[in-house]
Amino acid sequence: MKRVALGVAAAICLAVAACGGSDDGDGGATKSAAGGGTTVSGAKVIDPNSMNSPPKGTITYCAGKDTTGAQAEVIKEFEAKYGASGYNVKMLEFPTSGDEQRAQFVQRQEAKSDECDVFSSDVIWTAEFARQKWLYDLTPYVSKQRSRFIAAPLETVHYGDQYWGVPFESAAALLYYRDDQVKTPPATWQAVYQDAKANDGIVYQGAAYEGLTCDYLELAFAAGGKVLSDDGKKSLINSPQNVKALQLMVDGVKDGTAANGVTTYMEEESRRYWESGKATFMRNWPYAYVLGQMKSTKVAGKFKVMPFPTFDGGGTASILGGHNIVISVYSKNPGLGLKFADFYASPDWQKTQVIKYAITGTIPEAYDDPAVKKAIPYAPELKKAVEQAKSRPVSPVYPQISQAIYNNVNAALSGKTSPQDALKTADEQINQALKTF
Ligand code: GLC
């Protein structure tokens, strides 16, 4: 694999107030919204020993579309180890869009269905699912393992005083750029747009879904903006900093710097556009690296990756992404679910998933191991990015908050409304959502 230049912006989030620690989410909002030290009562609690000899059988792992093949392989490896003892896993593939994955899971949990024993849950859903009492409380298992995990991903399964999942994927997005077109990596987002305009443009996730919330907040947080007040009770989305960030994106669509269909693109559409050689820059998660270097693409050997630059007049920020294994309270075999979750977070699998699929992990070995560093030379920077990435607001009504962001940002990008009006509407909708819990 070609060595990639990532040393550049050395310290991601360098000395920037907007780049909070791993657990602060949107300022202090996380702490108060995350349960304020209270306990979610009445949840079913896992017996950590149940994974040692659970009833034989097959559990169903529900997860988004297996675009890399990593999920099929984790199942294969799990079965290679435990299949002979009678333990199997089958996968139920949900759509690529995170919002649709959530909708599929929610539908089953509302019906008290046992179809999904375990679910690949986005880092942003813990609060909502825990409050709905849809998940096993995994505290007795996780509390013994806390020191194994990197703090930021561990915090994403923490809600109230309990732990609701096993973190297996933690990600901070990267800026991919064509080094045959751009010689010096741009230092600011504004310069990225200028270089993109002078070359073949930029592609990112502009469709009205969770991905756009991430793409927008990366710029907005870097510009110094926030989503919620420190106590988590009030929207702060309608700020001059947030307008500035949105204006940059809107201008990019208007003057043709952003890919033509960007307002309809999710991760996979962006990746395909990029791989066909049509863009100079792409914002995407690390998984697109290994796929982009495959010979079948038009960009293999012609690109590098860099951490996000600063926002002129502001700082640098990235958003923490990733997934956790959660166990449904309606599962008939939670012990086997825990066995699978434990395997997913094991050092062996964590290393394999990053080496083969560039799916970044949740334990230090997934970055520090020499074999990982050889395969992914920018692993140390990825680890730093994950450690320093900012959380999206932690709230049981997070889905509504995010919808208010992505629907209005998308309307501005599509030219249906101005950045100012879009954020004014988002502000009203977020405040409305906050009143409902
Ligand atoms: C990735 C991230 C996830 C994020 C989603 C948005 O899957 O891991 O946290 O919500 O992208 O599309």
Side-chain angles (χ1 to χ4, degrees), residues 28-240:
T30 305
K31 281 194 185 93
S32 53
T38 55
T39 300
V40 177
S41 60
K44 279 192 188 173
V45 182
I46 201 81
D47 169 7
N49 297 320
S50 62
M51 72 175 198
N52 298 332
S53 44
K56 290 186 172 104
T58 302
I59 52 163
T60 303
Y61 172 40
C62 296
K65 196 167 163 35
D66 192 10
T67 43
T68 59
Q71 320 212 65
E73 185 162 340
V74 71
I75 292 174
K76 208 172 108 205
E77 296 215 355
F78 179 81
E79 292 186 335
K81 192 163 176 189
Y82 298 115
S85 317
Y87 299 129
N88 295 92
V89 179
K90 70 169 194 277
M91 183 171 173
L92 176 56
E93 254 182 315
F94 285 167
T96 347
S97 150
D99 297 63
E100 288 174 39
Q101 291 157 28
R102 175 181 163 273
Q104 295 270 343
F105 184 67
V106 167
Q107 209 178 43
R108 284 167 176 80
Q109 299 312 94
E110 279 177 343
K112 301 188 180 356
S113 154
D114 64 358
E115 198 174 3
C116 298
D117 295 278
V118 285
F119 177 53
S120 170
S121 176
D122 196 317
V123 293
I124 48 187
W125 297 329
T126 306
E128 180 198 10
F129 293 171
R131 283 279 279 251
Q132 296 286 355
K133 301 198 193 342
W134 286 335
L135 309 182
Y136 264 93
D137 172 359
L138 303 187
T139 310
Y141 168 84
V142 177
S143 56
K144 287 198 201 110
Q145 312 246 357
R146 283 211 306 251
S147 58
R148 275 200 339 106
F149 290 100
I150 297 171
L154 180 66
E155 197 51 32
T156 69
V157 292
H158 191 192
Y159 179 74
D161 284 337
Q162 296 124 298
Y163 291 91
W164 302 94
V166 179
F168 76 90
E169 182 209 354
S170 192
L174 296 164
L175 199 57
Y176 294 70
Y177 69 97
R178 291 284 299 270
D179 62 329
D180 55 341
Q181 297 177 7
V182 174
K183 295 297 167 215
T184 321
T188 64
W189 275 111
Q190 284 81 352
V192 168
Y193 271 84
Q194 276 158 18
D195 285 359
K197 193 173 176 185
N199 290 281
D200 290 339
I202 183 166
V203 65
Y204 58 89
Q205 295 76 54
Y209 81 118
E210 185 59 34
L212 178 56
T213 295
C214 298
D215 287 41
Y216 170 63
L217 290 183
E218 282 157 358
L219 286 170
F221 286 168
K226 288 186 160 211
V227 177
L228 301 181
S229 57
D230 284 352
D231 62 5
K233 292 195 174 133
K234 213 174 140 277
S235 163
L236 294 180
I237 198 79
N238 189 12
S239 67

